[in-house]
Amino acid sequence: MSITSFLFDPFTYDFMTRALLTALISSVVCALLSCWLVLIGWSLMGDAVSHAVLPGVVIAYIVGAPFALGAVIFGFLAVGLIGVVRDTSRVKEDAAMGIVFTTLFSLGLVLISITPSQTDLQHIIFGNLLGVSRADLLQIAILGAIVLGVILIKRRDFTLYAFDPIHAHAIGLSPRILGATLLGLLALTAVIALQTVGVILIVAMLIIPGATAYLLTNKFSHMLIIAPSIAVVCALIGLYMSYYLDTASGAMIVLSQGLVFTLAYLFSPSHGIVANRIALARRNHSGALTVEATATTP
């Protein structure tokens, strides 16, 4: 097989072209948002919201409303419930998150099991990247444009909120509103990624690209370039691998991101384990030579 055939044969099928566009949109949106989630320390919040939107999506399907509407409502409901449990009991925030998102996720599973449907709602859980329709792609593109637009407009405010919310408040910004906006974007992004990897693996796309970029650079502006670049490359690799190996597309995309993170974890020039061990060995060797030279000096 020639390189040209290898690269272009999969996309002679319309469903693969739609899958590619969906994967690229969701990867870029998730990767950009992941930079702030990692920086703020909202990894578990991303997990909570991505699972908690499931009943909202199912209810929206039942009543014929847009998936995004149900997801946003239940995303904010989850955040509100977490706050109530945390503030009115001895339960700490991480435990409150675990209680709320597992309960709402279970509610979503129950609703799926009792909802009569000609559509296999299990795809909401596990994703159905190769089954994306033109209407689905249009919705994903619109939601992606909304999320990207808000991120581009408010990126400086979000960054200041992530680094120093007290300073943000001092210059007239509302940390509460900025946090709520990020949570709203998180809920919309969960809807975008539903078709790609499903509810279960959304959190991976929301965390891994930002975490990988965090290991590769010390500048946040560079993270905003590195994270989506990694996500796009992994989306392409995952799609090609799933096509030629006949495996699950969404899972292959996430697996590709996990492998890239592993490489960064081991070999990042600044923060990689291997690089740090080599630098430590060089310092020890240099120190030993210095001590030896001092000891032999008359």
Side-chain angles (χ1 to χ4, degrees):
M1 179 185 293
S2 66
I3 295 178
T4 302
S5 298
F6 178 84
L7 292 176
F8 294 105
D9 279 358
F11 303 108
T12 57
Y13 302 100
D14 288 341
F15 72 89
M16 282 296 293
T17 302
R18 291 193 295 271
L20 174 64
L21 293 174
T22 300
L24 293 178
I25 293 171
S26 58
S27 295
V28 170
V29 172
C30 288
L32 285 174
L33 192 59
S34 74
C35 294
W36 281 284
L37 295 182
V38 169
L39 194 64
I40 297 172
W42 276 6
S43 299
L44 187 56
M45 183 64 77
D47 191 20
V49 173
S50 63
H51 283 73
V53 301
L54 179 60
V57 173
V58 179
I59 292 173
Y61 174 84
I62 293 173
V63 302
F67 285 179
L69 179 61
V72 170
I73 291 174
F74 270 78
F76 280 109
L77 175 62
V79 174
L81 289 175
I82 290 169
V84 170
V85 173
R86 178 195 60 202
D87 297 337
T88 60
S89 70
R90 298 181 61 189
V91 176
K92 295 183 180 180
E93 187 175 45
D94 58 343
M97 288 183 188
I99 293 168
V100 170
F101 91 71
T102 51
T103 301
L104 291 178
F105 184 65
S106 299
L107 172 61
L109 295 177
V110 171
L111 291 175
I112 288 176
S113 67
I114 65 175
T115 300
S117 172
Q118 296 178 349
T119 304
D120 186 4
L121 294 179
Q122 295 292 332
H123 290 158
I124 297 174
I125 302 174
F126 300 108
N128 185 26
L129 183 57
L130 300 183
V132 174
S133 65
R134 293 180 182 273
D136 293 331
L137 179 57
L138 178 61
Q139 174 181 284
I140 289 169
I142 292 173
L143 292 178
I146 292 172
V147 174
L148 288 176
V150 175
I151 286 176
L152 290 175
I153 293 171
K154 302 293 290 182
R155 66 185 186 281
R156 295 182 184 277
D157 294 345
F158 290 153
T159 303
L160 181 58
Y161 167 71
F163 279 103
D164 193 350
I166 296 176
H167 181 60
H169 183 268
I171 65 173
L173 299 174
S174 172
R176 184 181 296 273
I177 292 177
L178 290 173
T181 303
L182 277 173
L183 291 172
L185 295 178
L186 179 59
L188 288 176
T189 304
V191 178
I192 295 171
L194 275 176
Q195 288 286 97
T196 307
V197 295
V199 167
I200 293 178
L201 292 179
I202 288 175
V203 65
M205 295 186 69
L206 284 170
I207 300 303
I208 295 178
T212 305
Y214 190 66
L215 291 177
L216 295 174
T217 181
N218 293 322
K219 293 185 177 181
F220 186 72
S221 59
H222 292 175
M223 283 182 63
L224 295 177
I225 298 174
I226 293 173
S229 299
I230 290 173
V232 166
V233 171
C234 289
L236 292 171
I237 293 173
L239 269 180
Y240 278 113
M241 295 292 287
S242 68
Y243 179 81
Y244 286 109
L245 299 179
D246 193 23
T247 57
S249 301
M252 285 303 300
I253 291 174
V254 172
L255 181 60
S256 299
Q257 291 184 353
L259 291 175
V260 172
F261 173 81
T262 301
L263 292 175
Y265 172 76
L266 292 174
F267 302 110
S268 169
S270 302
H271 305 289
I273 296 298
V274 174
N276 288 339
R277 293 286 177 84
I278 293 174
L280 179 61
R282 286 177 177 174
R283 286 196 298 269
N284 291 338
H285 180 66
S286 176
L289 292 178
T290 302
V291 171
E292 182 179 351
T294 303
T296 56
T297 299

